[in-house]
Amino acid sequence: MGPTLSQLSPSGVPLYQQVKRAVLAALSSGEWKQGDAIPPEKLLSERFGVSIGTLRKAIDELVMENILVRHQGRGTFVAIHSQNQHFFKFFRVVRQDGEKSYPTTTLQRFRHVKASAEVCEKLQLRAGAHVFEFINVLTLHGQKVIVDTISVWDVMFSGLTKQQLRDRPSTLYSFYQQMFGINVIATDERVRVSLADADHADLLSVEQGTALLELRRVAYSFHQTPVEWRVSKVNTQHYEYIGQEHIVT
Amino acid sequence: MGPTLSQLSPSGVPLYQQVKRAVLAALSSGEWKQGDAIPPEKLLSERFGVSIGTLRKAIDELVMENILVRHQGRGTFVAIHSQNQHFFKFFRVVRQDGEKSYPTTTLQRFRHVKASAEVCEKLQLRAGAHVFEFINVLTLHGQKVIVDTISVWDVMFSGLTKQQLRDRPSTLYSFYQQMFGINVIATDERVRVSLADADHADLLSVEQGTALLELRRVAYSFHQTPVEWRVSKVNTQHYEYIGQEHIVT
DNA sequence: AAGTGGTCTAGACCACTAC
DNA sequence: TAGTGGTCTAGACCACTTA
């Protein structure tokens, strides 16, 4: 254990933000892994040399960002993506009657290719970098509703295979965590309309030229590092996308 | 001023949440209006009979929900919708290069009609209630991009006229605040694809049958009271919808 | 019973704003 | 200079979980 934060930095940066950074550092260094309980608040406040109130303010923000989860009486844990409510933070397609359902995934294609200019830009890669590109078809209530085309940097996901993707027992982001130690904590998602090409029409069992919802998403890990580029095409005949949900007051 | 909250309610509900409710009550009663500074924290903590820390926790949550805005050294204010960053919380259509721009609005139609079954459901009105229904065309960078069809309950917006809507100097939600004391604080927005009918094709200068993005939004005030039902049709040829924005960590 | 997070207090001092 | 919100402390007691 090093020196306390308050001794290190009279930098004008609030203490609780320094604590937050230190916790994030411990997370991305792998000191605490997904599903782990982190040390109790009392212990952490001593480790960082701050009061319990300051420590709690730092943890509060990390909880708000879905990076940690608190359970009264049990402890504070590193968030797991496969948990219900967290999953639907990132998966926002529901039936038009509002019914939420877990999708089942079918891996359609898996390639190792040179990244296109667009992929390089979105993933902040230098030109000529290679990516794994794979296509998933998602089924909801027995209907094929979504086609995901996903690109990830081959260096970051070194060793990724078709078989691993097929066999993963959990959600994709949970798989990223378990196999590669990569935590998806935020996304930037844009929506537009596009028309089904021959491939998508086939995969979704619709006519070519059918209007589809097109989601374009960059997923980020700690320190705003982009880790995944995804284009989803959604058949919204019976489904819809949750753009903004009610904030309860 | 009444008795303090802590004396009133040993109900098991956390004090800071009771404080939050009391502040919301003062807001919806009109004691503090949009743009007003609310009393200083010290004073409020005495009024509600709680410590400054507890009072701050209540205010913190209201700030997080964009209902209040803090300015260090100046005070805490009731949020105004026409403020830049707040406006784009609700208006989430941007150019595909990411450029944000304020829309200009043209009122296309204004009617006083019996609410349809769907409108009754969304606004939680009893069958047979009447609404004002009006249609706006929104222009971005000189192009007609969005058609909004908006319904509000006539009782809640009593006296609303075509002329008022045409002459309003500010955003629609700011207008709701100023003229009717109605604060929009949250929305529930769903997105799907639809094809342009003759009317929308005409208003947007596109071919009939063009694929458009369809946003279906319920806007809520305090206590989850629905105040507006809106269906927006967006031409996403050069624009896109922000589904989820990056959370900075 | 022991240990965890959840709430709450009663201050202190600092940074910023207005006068 | 006075008044505001922003940060921070060093506790206390409560509610919940686990054993």
Side-chain angles (χ1 to χ4, degrees):
Chain A
M1 190 199 314
T4 62
L5 294 168
S6 48
Q7 292 158 0
L8 272 179
S9 318
S11 53
V13 178
L15 251 185
Y16 74 91
Q17 285 186 21
Q18 298 178 41
V19 171
K20 194 176 154 189
R21 283 185 161 279
V23 172
L24 277 173
L27 284 169
S28 49
S29 83
E31 178 176 352
W32 307 317
K33 301 194 200 320
Q34 61 141 347
D36 283 3
I38 69 174
E41 299 184 337
K42 183 69 169 39
L43 221 160
L44 283 178
S45 71
E46 287 163 4
R47 161 163 167 180
F48 295 128
V50 301
S51 78
I52 199 95
T54 303
L55 187 276
R56 278 185 64 83
K57 185 154 183 177
I59 301 294
D60 279 345
E61 296 209 345
L62 292 166
V63 168
M64 253 184 357
E65 293 164 15
N66 293 304
I67 294 169
L68 299 176
V69 179
R70 279 206 262 245
H71 291 291
Q72 189 176 14
R74 294 209 291 137
T76 303
F77 300 80
V78 183
I80 299 178
H81 279 117
S82 54
Q83 285 175 162
N84 201 325
Q85 79 292 9
H86 196 185
F87 177 73
F88 285 107
K89 279 254 160 33
F90 293 116
F91 182 76
R92 317 220 292 176
V93 174
V94 299
R95 209 162 62 183
Q96 289 185 1
D97 63 11
E99 177 71 15
K100 291 183 178 180
S101 162
Y102 281 98
T104 61
T105 304
T106 309
L107 181 63
Q108 198 63 34
R109 193 169 70 172
F110 180 84
R111 298 192 303 170
H112 186 215
V113 296
K114 203 170 117 198
S116 69
E118 181 177 50
V119 171
C120 282
E121 184 213 329
K122 299 300 184 185
L123 292 181
Q124 295 171 29
L125 303 176
R126 55 190 177 291
H130 284 66
V131 293
F132 294 115
E133 182 194 276
F134 53 99
I135 297 180
N136 279 326
V137 177
L138 275 62
T139 303
L140 287 162
H141 305 101
Q143 296 181 52
K144 292 176 283 180
V145 178
I146 306 173
V147 176
D148 285 345
T149 303
I150 297 172
S151 299
V152 295
W153 190 24
D154 61 353
V155 173
M156 192 179 279
F157 288 75
S158 171
L160 178 65
T161 67
K162 190 169 186 170
Q163 202 54 45
Q164 283 181 322
L165 278 174
R166 234 194 265 285
D167 295 345
R168 69 190 160 84
S170 54
T171 70
L172 194 52
Y173 287 172
S174 183
F175 170 74
Y176 292 174
Q177 279 186 326
Q178 288 162 20
M179 296 296 295
F180 302 98
I182 292 169
N183 297 272
V184 171
I185 60 172
T187 59
D188 192 330
E189 194 159 74
R190 306 301 172 111
V191 186
R192 53 177 85 164
V193 169
S194 75
L195 304 182
D197 59 22
D199 289 343
H200 285 90
D202 186 44
L203 292 172
L204 291 174
S205 302
V206 298
E207 293 290 308
Q208 190 172 343
T210 299
L212 302 175
L213 209 64
E214 176 177 314
L215 310 178
R216 302 157 60 81
R217 172 199 288 185
V218 182
Y220 295 91
S221 184
F222 302 119
H223 310 306
Q224 305 175 44
T225 309
V227 297
E228 181 204 70
W229 165 244
R230 173 188 303 216
V231 178
S232 304
K233 308 264 191 174
V234 186
N235 179 358
T236 61
Q237 193 182 358
H238 301 295
Y239 292 82
E240 60 190 6
Y241 173 80
I242 302 178
Q244 190 166 59
E245 253 185 312
H246 192 61
I247 304 163
V248 181
T249 304
Chain B
M1 190 197 314
T4 63
L5 294 168
S6 48
Q7 294 158 1
L8 270 178
S9 319
S11 54
V13 178
L15 251 185
Y16 74 91
Q17 285 186 21
Q18 297 178 42
V19 172
K20 195 176 153 189
R21 283 184 161 278
V23 172
L24 277 172
L27 284 169
S28 50
S29 83
E31 178 176 353
W32 307 317
K33 301 193 202 320
Q34 61 141 345
D36 282 3
I38 69 173
E41 300 183 337
K42 183 68 169 38
L43 221 159
L44 283 178
S45 71
E46 286 163 4
R47 161 163 167 181
F48 295 129
V50 300
S51 78
I52 200 99
T54 302
L55 187 274
R56 277 185 64 83
K57 185 154 185 177
I59 302 293
D60 280 345
E61 296 209 345
L62 292 166
V63 168
M64 253 183 358
E65 294 164 15
N66 293 304
I67 294 168
L68 299 176
V69 179
R70 279 206 262 245
H71 292 290
Q72 189 177 14
R74 295 209 290 137
T76 303
F77 300 80
V78 183
I80 299 179
H81 278 120
S82 53
Q83 284 174 164
N84 202 324
Q85 79 291 8
H86 196 184
F87 176 73
F88 285 106
K89 279 253 160 34
F90 293 116
F91 183 76
R92 317 221 292 177
V93 174
V94 299
R95 209 161 62 182
Q96 289 185 1
D97 62 11
E99 176 72 16
K100 290 183 178 180
S101 162
Y102 282 98
T104 60
T105 304
T106 309
L107 181 64
Q108 198 63 32
R109 194 168 69 173
F110 180 84
R111 298 193 301 170
H112 185 214
V113 295
K114 205 172 115 196
S116 69
E118 181 178 50
V119 171
C120 283
E121 184 213 328
K122 299 299 184 185
L123 292 181
Q124 294 170 30
L125 303 176
R126 55 190 177 291
H130 285 67
V131 294
F132 296 115
E133 182 196 275
F134 53 99
I135 297 179
N136 279 325
V137 176
L138 275 63
T139 303
L140 287 163
H141 305 101
Q143 296 181 50
K144 292 176 284 181
V145 178
I146 306 174
V147 176
D148 284 345
T149 304
I150 297 172
S151 299
V152 295
W153 189 24
D154 61 353
V155 172
M156 192 179 279
F157 288 75
S158 171
L160 178 65
T161 66
K162 190 169 185 170
Q163 202 53 44
Q164 283 181 321
L165 278 174
R166 234 194 265 286
D167 296 345
R168 70 190 159 85
S170 54
T171 69
L172 195 52
Y173 287 171
S174 182
F175 171 74
Y176 291 173
Q177 280 185 324
Q178 288 162 20
M179 295 297 293
F180 301 98
I182 292 169
N183 297 272
V184 171
I185 59 171
T187 58
D188 192 329
E189 194 158 74
R190 305 302 170 109
V191 185
R192 52 177 86 164
V193 169
S194 75
L195 304 182
D197 60 21
D199 288 344
H200 285 90
D202 186 45
L203 292 173
L204 292 174
S205 302
V206 298
E207 294 290 309
Q208 190 171 343
T210 300
L212 302 175
L213 208 63
E214 176 177 312
L215 310 177
R216 302 157 60 80
R217 172 198 289 185
V218 182
Y220 295 91
S221 185
F222 302 119
H223 311 305
Q224 305 175 45
T225 310
V227 297
E228 181 203 71
W229 165 243
R230 173 188 302 216
V231 178
S232 304
K233 308 264 190 173
V234 185
N235 178 359
T236 61
Q237 193 182 357
H238 301 295
Y239 292 83
E240 59 190 7
Y241 174 80
I242 302 178
Q244 190 166 58
E245 254 186 311
H246 191 62
I247 304 164
V248 182
T249 305

